[in-house]
């Protein structure tokens, strides 16, 4: 978690981070998202159920997911001062990749966050555990997250 706080304090984008390891929680491990994660995440995140409540779909094709992950890892093309993108791949500590986390952090004070998990891992409490870890790792005082009212699971 110190990794994120240090990077946020300095305003660094993902491209300057030396380590891909972001941290762990009780059952999950977190890695800074790279284009290479698309190969591991595509099988689960290409399921249409993942995108039923989300605008857009980077799970339509493996090449599209690779391109999206490369874009997320690079950060905004025209970054605004004080805005940092952080993205993490989520996997079981000793196993499969289960999903990903996103955050846009503003001035190190508040963030908009999102999470996407493969259906095979729904209902196990992984999203709750991952979001709790993400909030602590980000260390911000305010968080915004939006969901659709008909998406009862989120």
């Amino acid at each position: 978690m110190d990794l994120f706080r240090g990077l946020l304090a300095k305003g660094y984008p993902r491209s300057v981070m030396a380590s891909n390891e972001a941290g762990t929680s009780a059952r999950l491990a977190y890695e800074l998202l790279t284009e290479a994660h698309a190969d591991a995440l595509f099988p689960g995140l290409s399921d249409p159920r993942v995108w039923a409540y989300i605008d857009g779909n980077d799970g339509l094709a493996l090449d599209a997911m690779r391109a999206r992950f490369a874009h997320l890892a690079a950060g905004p093309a025209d970054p605004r001062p004080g805005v940092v993108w952080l993205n993490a791949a989520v996997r079981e500590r000793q196993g499969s990749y289960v999903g990903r986390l996103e955050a846009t952090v503003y001035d190190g004070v508040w963030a908009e966050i999102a999470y996407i998990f493969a259906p095979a891992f729904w209902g196990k409490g992984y999203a709750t555990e991952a979001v709790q870890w993400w909030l602590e790792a980000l260390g911000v005082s305010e968080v915004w997250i939006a969901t659709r009212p008909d998406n009862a699971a989120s």
Side-chain angles (χ1 to χ4, degrees), residues 52-150:
Y53 300 103
I54 302 171
D55 293 333
N57 181 343
D58 54 76
L60 288 175
L62 180 55
D63 287 341
M65 186 173 283
R66 285 182 186 137
R68 174 75 175 151
F69 288 7
H71 173 69
L72 291 172
D78 186 17
R80 294 174 293 187
V83 176
V84 176
W85 285 4
L86 294 171
N87 298 277
V90 182
R91 64 176 173 78
E92 294 173 308
R93 287 184 79 161
Q94 303 299 321
S96 303
Y97 283 90
V98 301
R100 64 185 174 92
L101 301 168
E102 298 181 6
T104 303
V105 182
Y106 300 89
D107 298 319
V109 176
W110 71 278
E112 296 175 277
I113 66 168
Y115 57 89
I116 302 171
F117 284 83
F121 303 99
W122 292 354
K124 297 179 184 230
Y126 284 175
T128 299
E129 181 177 333
V131 168
Q132 287 172 342
W133 178 86
W134 198 226
L135 294 175
E136 190 175 331
L138 294 171
V140 294
S141 60
E142 182 177 342
V143 177
W144 291 11
I145 189 167
T147 188
R148 291 184 29 184
D150 54 340

Side-chain angles (χ1 to χ4, degrees), residues 10-73:
K10 295 179 174 95
Y12 288 146
R14 161 65 182 97
S15 59
V16 301
M17 298 179 195
S19 171
N20 193 40
E21 297 178 15
T24 59
S25 60
R27 299 176 296 163
L28 302 171
Y30 309 91
E31 302 168 359
L32 298 172
L33 188 71
T34 68
E35 179 180 351
H37 285 108
D39 292 326
L41 286 166
F42 183 77
L45 298 185
S46 62
D47 186 312
R49 292 176 293 170
V50 171
W51 304 98
Y53 300 103
I54 302 171
D55 293 333
N57 181 343
D58 54 76
L60 288 175
L62 180 55
D63 287 341
M65 186 173 283
R66 285 182 186 137
R68 174 75 175 151
F69 288 7
H71 173 69
L72 291 172

